[in-house]
Every structure is written in structure tokens, then in C-alpha cells.
Amino acid sequence: MSQSDRIFIGGGGAEYGEPQNLILKYANRHGMIAGATGTGKTVTLQILAESFSSQGVPVFLSDVKGDLSGLAKSGSPEAKLHDAFMKRAATIKFDDYDYSDFPVTFWDMFGEQGHPVRTTVSEMGPLLLSRLMELTEAQEGVMNIAFRVADEQDMLLLDLKDLQAMLVWLGENSSEIALRYGSVSTASIGAIQRRLLVLENQGATQFFGEPALNLEDLMQTTPGGQGRINILAADKLMQSPRLYATFLLWMLSELFETLPEVGDPDKPKLVFFFDEAHLLFDDAPKALLNKVEQVARLIRSKGVGVYFVSQNPADIPEDILGQLGNRVQHALRAFTPKDQKALRMAADTFRTNPDFDTADAIKEVGVGEALVSTLEKKGMPSIVQRTLIRPPSSQLGPITSDERAAVIAQSPVAGLYEAALDRESAFEILSKRSAEAAEAAAKAEAEEERLEAKEKELKLARKFDGYTTKKTTRSTRSSRSDSLGTTLAKTMIKQLGTQSGQKMIRGILGGLFKGR
């Protein structure tokens, strides 16, 4: 069933004998895998990853439950489902079905189940960081100012302590900053610092730093021509769903920013599977939704296909859902009016098949069965078909921790990301400036104290010098005497000008003349 220009998904139509293929030329037009829990979405993701890898297309996917690590190990005839797989392969006429392992690179944001994944604060940018921390509009404005000032002053923002130090600097210089960028309130800075503390507690400290992930390491092929399957361990990461969603969106944004335009290649340069896609859109602000829509619309011209995996198509905004040309819809449950409405909307997105009612089929398909519609010639969607999904060639279920460790040790990127780097950045620069300022202040204070001590010493020297003391005393006494005499004279003159003063003069003069 293998062909160089397409991948085999399963058998559809009457008796499941009609092959359902995904043409590689249209694989970068994006897609969706949807269905309720337990209907087979994970296996569909696994067989698509296998097929892309076999055709030389690198894959990136997140492993939420840990089951997809089995891609690194071949399936086995001793496996419990061997007979069922062989029967299904015969039913859908998958004649060349066989077991095989695939080249896998394990990644882990926490560095526990794979190579560490890091990025810098600068590369993440203020928009995604604000989304990650659920900041208000005013707080997001402060974040933008912090990034702008750091850029103007050539201070790198690599890790969280760089950003924290930058925010402290903004608070200390808020009056000067306000003249150019607007007010920076201490309340907003304090709120951002508290959110950064929450991120630290969630393990984001390990995510922000260097060496940052080189996206080219996600797009490798083996010497034999197989595309490497990059698996992100997301079981622990899912405990911080906003961090998980922001990280994957950052990856898409970075791919969009760095990859060159290639138009419509014969096959994708990379296929990206976004599991638990609803986490990307839950409570997302309008600016972020616009960003996702822009990336989804334009990144296909960079040769990247994006496939959203979710329980319900209604989890994905309509503007983005309309761009997903390749669809695999597993069973949906419709127990409430809201569920029934969502089911009908999902059915309406498919090109109608006259042989069955699409809405009824979505409720009726069994485990491992799905409704499939892919893009055909000229990019038109095919008529929807009830399809029996092909069995996986790799192991169904997780590998052991020892097997995982062996795969990690043999990885082409082994040793490149394990040791963290901490070069000079905003934290070190501001710390150095603070230390220099403190040292200068200490020197100035010491000089001031020295001058004060010298002046005090000079005053004491004057006090105990004999000549100086005698001269000072006489001058003081003379000054006091002159001052006292002057004061009495002035008082006497004032009194003579009054009526009582004149009477006193007449009395004195009268007495003198009487005596004569």
C-alpha cells in the first residue's frame, strides 16, 4: 500500500476495501483528529506519525499519556493484539503490513524523560509571556516596556531572574521611564513578580535559559531517509496546562518566524501535532487567537503542517477550524442538547456522502474506526468515508524507562542540551551596576566623614590655641561691652523723644537753675 506521494490511513467504503490516503502534497494544509476519550485518537496519531516518518517527513508531537513512546520500539507477534491487527490489515487490504520501530528523539521540559527543552525570555516575547501569566492590559504594557528598555540598553533577557531584575530596575527608575513610555506603577510590577513566582513553582525556571532549542534539531532525517519523530513528554507538563499551551504556540511562532518560504512542496518539511488542543484556546484573549490564526494560515507556506488533536471540533475556533483540510473524526457522544448541537456542527464540516447520514455515523463508529476526509486534487476535500484505521507497526503502549534511557543516550543531540549555561545578561549587568553604585556611595560617604572629622579637628585646634583664645575672649568682651552700651544709648534716645522723657529733662534742668 505504500506510495511515494501519499500515506495510507485505512480502508473505507463498502467492506472497508477502498484505500483512504493523505496526499503528501496537501499534508501541509493542516488537519484535525477529534473524538471522545477511548475512541482511538492516540492510535490514529501514532499511525500518522509512523507514515510521515517513513516518507522522510520529521514529526513533532506531545505525549500526554506516555503511550506514544512505543514508536521507538517495533511491534511484536507475541503482543496481545497481534491477531486483531493482522485481521484488520487483511480487511483493509494492507498487504505489506509489518512491524517496525522508528527513529525517535525524546524531549522533556523538565529534563527527566528526554533532552531538556529551553528557550529564552526574549524569544518567548511579551505577548506569549503575558498570556502565560494571565496579565491584565496594564501589566502587559509594563512587560512591553521592560522588553523595550532591555533591548535599547543591550541587556539580554535569557531567564526568569533577568526579567525579575529588569522589573526591579523599572520600579526604581519609574519617574524617568514615565517621561518616555508612560507610567509604570509599582502595583503592576508587584503583580507581575508574583506571577513569575508562580511560574517558578511550576518548573518554568528550567524552561527559560540556555542553551535554547535549535529548531533545526527537530527537522532531522536519518541516513536511511526516515524523518525523526520528536516526542515531548507532556504527562507532567499537563499539570501546568497554560505553560504547555504557551510552549507549543511558541514553537509554532518560532517556526513561522525562522523558516523560509517554500510555497507548496511535494511533502512537508515538518508535521506538528498539537494534542489537547483546547488548552490553546481556553480563555485566550483576542490578540492571541489572532496570532494563532495568522500562524495557522501562513505557516503552511513554510512547509509545516499543523494537526490539532482534541475531543471535540467545537474546541477549535471556527476561523482556524475552517483551515483544517484533512480530518479524522472518531466517535462523539451526544447526551445533552449542547453535545447534539456540537455533533451536528461537526457533521456539517464534512463533504456529504450519499450512502449514510454523517451525524448518525459520528455516533455509531466503533473504536479504531473514524470518518475520514482529506484533500484531493486541486485541494478539494474528498467525500467523507467511514474508515477502519490501519494498525500500528510500532509497539502499542509505552516502552520501559531503561529502553527510553537507551534511546536518549543514542540520540543525535545527546549531550547538546543537558548542561545549562548562564552567560552575562540583564541580571548580571544590573547586579554589577548596583554593586558599582553601592561602592561609589560608600566611598562618597567615607570621604564626607573624613572631611567632617578634619573640620572638627581644626575647630578643636583653634579652641585650645592660647593666642587665639585670648584674642577671641577680648574681642568677645569688647563686643559684648559695645553691644550693651549701644543698646542702652539707643534706648535712652528713644525715651527722650517721648513726653515722659521730655518731662524728665525739664525736671533736671529746672533743678540746676534753681540751684543758681
Side-chain angles (χ1 to χ4, degrees):
M1 301 294 293
S2 61
Q3 300 182 50
S4 61
D5 67 336
R6 63 194 63 201
I7 61 177
F8 178 61
I9 298 176
E15 305 298 326
Y16 303 113
E18 299 177 16
Q20 301 300 305
N21 299 307
L22 173 57
I23 300 175
L24 288 173
K25 183 178 180 179
Y26 301 118
N28 65 329
R29 303 291 182 90
H30 311 321
M32 177 193 69
I33 304 172
T37 301
T39 57
K41 295 193 304 296
T42 301
V43 175
T44 298
L45 197 163
Q46 183 169 345
I47 66 103
L48 287 178
E50 291 178 355
S51 300
F52 279 120
S53 175
S54 297
Q55 295 287 1
V57 178
V59 174
F60 183 94
L61 56 86
S62 52
D63 190 4
V64 174
K65 295 179 291 186
D67 293 342
L68 293 172
S69 61
L71 281 160
K73 186 177 180 180
S74 173
S76 170
E78 286 75 35
K80 181 171 61 175
L81 293 176
H82 170 71
D83 292 339
F85 286 169
M86 290 300 171
K87 182 178 179 181
R88 177 175 295 193
T91 300
I92 63 178
K93 298 180 173 58
F94 191 10
D95 300 327
D96 54 355
Y97 173 63
D98 197 3
Y99 291 124
S100 175
D101 60 353
F102 294 85
V104 167
T105 302
F106 289 111
W107 302 92
D108 185 1
M109 188 177 294
F110 304 101
E112 298 172 355
Q113 302 182 68
H115 305 292
V117 180
R118 300 184 190 89
T119 187
T120 65
V121 170
S122 294
E123 288 178 341
M124 179 67 75
L127 174 63
L128 290 183
L129 274 175
S130 298
R131 150 70 171 169
L132 179 58
M133 294 188 285
E134 302 178 87
L135 299 184
T136 64
E137 184 176 350
Q139 293 161 2
E140 184 178 345
V142 173
M143 287 288 288
N144 279 285
I145 293 174
F147 275 74
R148 180 66 176 271
V149 173
D151 184 58
E152 289 179 348
Q153 299 200 15
D154 294 325
M155 289 189 290
L156 297 174
L157 298 177
L158 301 180
D159 50 30
L160 290 185
K161 68 178 186 294
D162 289 328
L163 182 56
Q164 291 165 337
M166 194 69 227
L167 291 169
V168 170
W169 186 89
L170 285 184
E172 293 173 344
N173 298 271
S174 57
S175 57
E176 292 84 354
I177 294 296
L179 296 175
R180 181 173 181 183
Y181 299 105
S183 61
V184 177
S185 70
T186 54
S188 293
I189 291 176
I192 297 173
Q193 295 283 34
R194 288 192 294 273
R195 295 303 177 95
L196 289 174
L197 182 61
V198 172
L199 282 184
E200 286 183 332
N201 293 336
Q202 292 180 349
T205 303
Q206 297 166 281
F207 174 52
F208 290 104
E210 291 186 314
L213 176 65
N214 183 353
L215 295 179
E216 292 184 359
D217 288 334
L218 303 180
M219 306 174 71
Q220 297 188 20
T221 57
T222 66
Q226 287 181 300
R228 296 199 69 85
I229 301 175
N230 300 274
I231 300 179
L232 175 69
D235 48 349
K236 183 177 178 181
L237 183 59
M238 288 300 297
Q239 299 174 18
S240 306
R242 194 170 292 272
L243 179 59
Y244 166 75
T246 305
F247 164 68
L248 294 183
L249 181 56
W250 163 78
M251 285 194 61
L252 280 180
S253 300
E254 284 296 297
L255 288 168
F256 173 70
E257 294 292 337
T258 58
L259 291 178
E261 293 279 344
V262 294
D264 286 319
D266 293 335
K267 61 183 179 182
K269 298 177 66 176
L270 176 70
V271 171
F272 189 101
F273 288 94
F274 199 133
D275 202 0
E276 299 294 341
H278 66 279
L279 297 175
L280 180 61
F281 308 109
D282 287 350
D283 302 320
K286 181 64 176 176
L288 186 66
L289 291 178
N290 291 339
K291 177 72 171 178
V292 178
E293 182 184 353
Q294 178 196 41
V295 171
R297 184 175 65 254
L298 300 177
I299 200 171
R300 73 176 185 86
S301 63
K302 306 294 184 84
V304 177
V306 181
Y307 289 71
F308 295 94
V309 184
S310 190
Q311 293 190 15
N312 197 314
D315 296 334
I316 304 171
E318 288 188 15
D319 290 341
I320 297 174
L321 188 63
Q323 300 179 46
L324 310 182
N326 303 296
R327 302 188 180 187
V328 179
Q329 177 67 65
H330 289 271
L332 289 177
R333 313 302 180 208
F335 300 113
T336 67
K338 182 178 179 180
D339 293 337
Q340 293 170 2
K341 181 180 178 180
L343 189 148
R344 173 55 62 182
M345 290 178 62
D348 290 342
T349 62
F350 286 100
R351 184 178 170 188
T352 304
N353 190 324
D355 295 338
F356 58 85
D357 181 87
T358 305
D360 290 339
I362 291 177
K363 293 184 290 185
E364 296 169 356
V365 290
V367 176
E369 189 181 8
L371 299 184
V372 174
S373 175
T374 60
L375 297 179
E376 296 181 318
K377 294 181 179 180
K378 299 183 179 180
M380 292 292 294
S382 64
I383 295 174
V384 62
Q385 294 285 358
R386 292 185 62 157
T387 303
L388 197 60
I389 304 299
R390 52 148 284 201
S393 297
S394 57
Q395 176 176 295
L396 189 65
I399 59 177
T400 66
S401 57
D402 290 339
E403 290 170 334
R404 180 188 287 265
V407 173
I408 294 172
Q410 298 169 5
S411 167
V413 296
L416 295 181
Y417 295 99
E418 276 66 21
L421 302 178
D422 190 16
R423 60 186 172 122
E424 185 179 72
S425 50
F427 174 78
E428 287 77 17
I429 293 173
L430 292 175
S431 296
K432 184 178 179 181
R433 288 183 185 179
S434 179
E436 290 174 350
E439 183 180 356
K443 288 182 178 179
E445 185 177 357
E447 180 65 16
E448 185 177 353
E449 291 177 353
R450 187 186 68 81
L451 292 175
E452 289 178 355
K454 186 176 181 179
E455 184 177 355
K456 185 176 181 181
E457 182 180 352
L458 182 59
K459 289 181 179 179
L460 288 174
R462 288 176 178 172
K463 182 176 180 180
F464 292 106
D465 182 87
Y467 175 78
T468 306
T469 302
K470 185 176 181 181
K471 181 178 180 180
T472 303
T473 303
R474 183 168 59 249
S475 173
T476 303
R477 287 178 180 174
S478 175
S479 176
R480 287 179 180 174
S481 300
D482 293 344
S483 178
L484 181 58
T486 303
T487 302
L488 290 174
K490 288 180 180 179
T491 303
M492 182 63 72
I493 292 170
K494 289 181 180 179
Q495 289 295 329
L496 292 177
T498 63
Q499 290 182 359
S500 58
Q502 292 173 1
K503 289 180 181 180
M504 182 179 69
I505 293 173
R506 287 197 296 269
I508 294 172
L509 293 176
L512 291 174
F513 286 117
K514 286 180 181 179
R516 291 184 179 178

